[in-house]
Amino acid sequence: MRQSQLFTKTRKDAPSDEVSKNAILLSRAGYIYKEMAGAYAYLPLGLRVIDNIKKIVREEMNALGAQEIIMTALQRKELWETTDRWSDEKVDVWFKSTLKNGTEVGFGWSHEEPITDMMKNYISSYRDLPVFTYQFQTKLRNELRAKSGIMRGREFVMKDMYSYVLDAEAHKKFYDATIQAYLNVFKRAGIGDRTFVTFASGGAFTEFSHEFQTLTDSGEDTIYLAREKGIAINKEVLRDDVLEKLGVKREDLEEVAAAEVGNIFDFGGMKSTELGLFYKNEAGESVPVHLGSYGIGITRLMGVVVEALSDEKGIVWPKELSPFAAHLVLAGTSETSRALAEEVYKTLSESGIEVLFDDRDVRAGEKFADSDLLGIPTRVIVGDRTANGMLEVKDRATGDVKEMTLDELTSELKK
Ligand code: ATP
Ligand code: MG
C-alpha cells in the first residue's frame, strides 16, 4: 500500500480528553478514531492489526478442535431471567432496549446463555459430545468508567469460546489444552514473557478460575507474583489458605499492576441445569452437559501490546501483529532513488510481502518520525546515497541498522 493513498494522517496531538497511552499513540498514528468515550472505530491500519490478532486466535482455537460461529447481539430477556442474570442488580453492564411491540431485549455482553440454549437443538446424547465453539463478537457493556482507551470499551471485540463435554474429567483435559493455546496466543502477540496464568476467584463448582494477566502499569488489576515459580494470584483470592495451597509465602510475592487479557471459567453443570441442556448417557440417564467458557479481549490485547512494547518515539509492533511486514521509506529526492524505491516496492509486493511504501512528498525527517510512530518492525530506507543496491534496513525495536541487497531483504522478510 502506498502511504500517499492512505486516507488517515498522522497527528502531533491526540484528542485532548484522551489520557491513556494506548489511545494517544493509536489515535496519533491513525489506527483508531474515537467516536465517544469507550467506543472506537478501527481505521485501515487498525483493522489490519485486529485481523492479525484474530488470525492468531483463530489458528489456535481451530487447533483445539473448536468451530467458529457468530451469535446475535440482540438477546432475549427470558433466557437471562432463567439464569437470574437479567436484572441490573445482578449484571451492572447491561445495555437494554425495547422493540416496537414492547418486548424488552438486551445487547450481548456475554453469550453463555444463548449458546447453551441453542445447543439444546444439537446435543441430546453422549454421542453428540464434545462440542467446542467460538466466535469473535462486538460485545456491548455499559461500563462505569472508560478511561483506559481501547483496553476498556463500552463496545469491544471479544473472542469467546464454549466447551460442552461429558464430565469433569473431559472438561479438565480441554481446559488444560486451552491454557496452553492461550499461552501460544500471547507469545505470538509478543507479550508471552510478561503474561501470567493467574489464580482468580472461582465459579459455582471450582475454587479458582484462571485469568491471563499481562504486566503493565496501565492495567486496572493488582496481582501478586512469585516470578521464579511462575505463580500469580489475583488480589481477590490472596488469602492464607490459598497461599498455603499454592506453596508460596506472602513475603515472596511482588505486588504488580496488570491487565486481564483473557479469562477461563468452569461452569460445571450449573448453566446447563438452569437452561435445560441435558444429554442421555449410555445407561439412558439424563445428565447436565459440563460447560466451560473462555474469553480473550481482542481489542484490549491490542491496547495492552501498545502499552507494553511502545517507546518514547511511538508504537513497536511484534511481527505477527504489525499491519505491514515492512515500511519502505523513500528518503531521497533524486530520480534514481525514487526509481530504486519503486523497484523495491514492486519486488517485495510480488514476493507476497506486505509493504507500506512512504512515497509521500514530505521531508525525510518527518517520514522517519512517522515511521517510528507507526511501529512497523522493519524499515527499509532508500536515500540519494543508496548505492550499489545496498539498502539500509532498520529494526524498529532495537534501532539496529544493517545494509543488505534486495534479495537478502526479500528472503529475510519471508521468514
Ligand atoms: P474486567 O475485570 O477487566 O472487567 P471481565 O472479568 O469483565 O474483565 P470477561 O467478562 O471475562 O471480563 O471478558 C473476557 C475478556 O474480555 C477479558 O478477559 C478482557 O480481556 C476482555 N474485556 C472485558 N471487558 C472489557 C472491556 N470493557 N473492554 C475491552 N475488553 C474487555
Ligand atoms: Mg468487567
Side-chain angles (χ1 to χ4, degrees), residues 255-283:
E255 184 184 287
V256 284
E260 181 193 312
V261 286
N263 177 332
I264 61 180
F265 209 82
D266 180 2
F267 278 101
M270 181 186 80
K271 282 240 173 278
S272 299
T273 304
E274 290 170 344
L275 290 160
L277 176 64
F278 296 91
Y279 71 90
K280 286 256 182 312
N281 67 13
E282 281 181 84

Side-chain angles (χ1 to χ4, degrees), residues 169-370:
E169 193 187 333
H171 173 79
K172 174 88 170 68
K173 211 172 136 213
F174 187 75
Y175 191 89
D176 289 346
T178 304
I179 291 184
Q180 219 38 62
Y182 270 36
L183 292 174
N184 291 346
V185 167
F186 300 125
K187 186 168 175 207
R188 291 174 66 181
I191 51 171
D193 57 340
R194 64 193 87 203
T195 301
F196 294 87
V197 183
T198 306
F199 291 89
S201 60
F205 290 87
T206 48
E207 187 173 6
F208 300 113
S209 70
H210 292 93
E211 296 171 345
F212 293 77
Q213 293 274 2
T214 307
L215 305 190
T216 161
D217 290 340
S218 62
E220 293 180 17
D221 294 356
T222 303
I223 62 165
Y224 294 83
L225 184 63
R227 229 178 254 267
E228 273 91 87
K229 292 190 172 165
I231 292 177
I233 305 169
N234 193 304
K235 198 178 184 171
E236 62 193 21
V237 294
L238 190 76
R239 299 186 309 263
D240 289 342
D241 60 312
V242 172
L243 295 180
E244 196 171 324
K245 181 166 284 173
L246 299 177
V248 287
K249 292 204 183 68
R250 177 65 187 87
E251 56 269 29
D252 298 338
L253 297 172
E254 278 172 69
E255 184 184 287
V256 284
E260 181 193 312
V261 286
N263 177 332
I264 61 180
F265 209 82
D266 180 2
F267 278 101
M270 181 186 80
K271 282 240 173 278
S272 299
T273 304
E274 290 170 344
L275 290 160
L277 176 64
F278 296 91
Y279 71 90
K280 286 256 182 312
N281 67 13
E282 281 181 84
E285 299 150 346
S286 204
V287 185
V289 179
H290 196 117
L291 169 67
S293 105
Y294 314 79
I296 291 182
I298 300 295
T299 42
R300 179 179 292 181
L301 176 59
M302 176 171 167
V304 168
V305 168
V306 172
E307 294 280 345
L309 306 183
S310 65
D311 61 21
E312 65 289 342
K313 292 182 189 146
I315 299 166
V316 180
W317 291 117
K319 278 204 172 64
E320 282 204 66
L321 261 50
S322 181
F324 293 92
H327 197 185
L328 172 62
V329 178
L330 168 62
T333 51
S334 67
E335 280 305 314
T336 337
S337 61
R338 184 165 284 271
L340 177 58
E342 289 287 348
E343 186 201 330
V344 173
Y345 182 52
K346 187 161 177 274
T347 307
L348 293 179
S349 302
E350 281 170 359
S351 310
I353 295 160
E354 296 279 349
V355 186
L356 180 64
F357 177 20
D358 193 349
D359 59 341
R360 295 173 304 161
D361 218 356
V362 299
R363 284 184 306 108
E366 194 178 326
K367 289 187 177 183
F368 294 145
D370 278 352

Side-chain angles (χ1 to χ4, degrees), residues 9-30:
K9 308 276 178 270
T10 57
R11 292 163 190 266
K12 290 237 156 24
D13 301 301
S16 57
D17 57 341
E18 204 65 272
V19 288
S20 73
K21 179 161 90 172
N22 69 82
I24 290 173
L25 288 174
L26 290 166
S27 302
R28 286 188 48 214

Side-chain angles (χ1 to χ4, degrees), residues 40 66 68 70 80 95 114 121 167 189 225-226 258 275 395:
Y40 292 88
E68 188 172 347
I70 302 183
W80 292 86
F95 279 112
N121 293 280
D167 53 22
L225 184 63
L275 290 160
D395 183 307

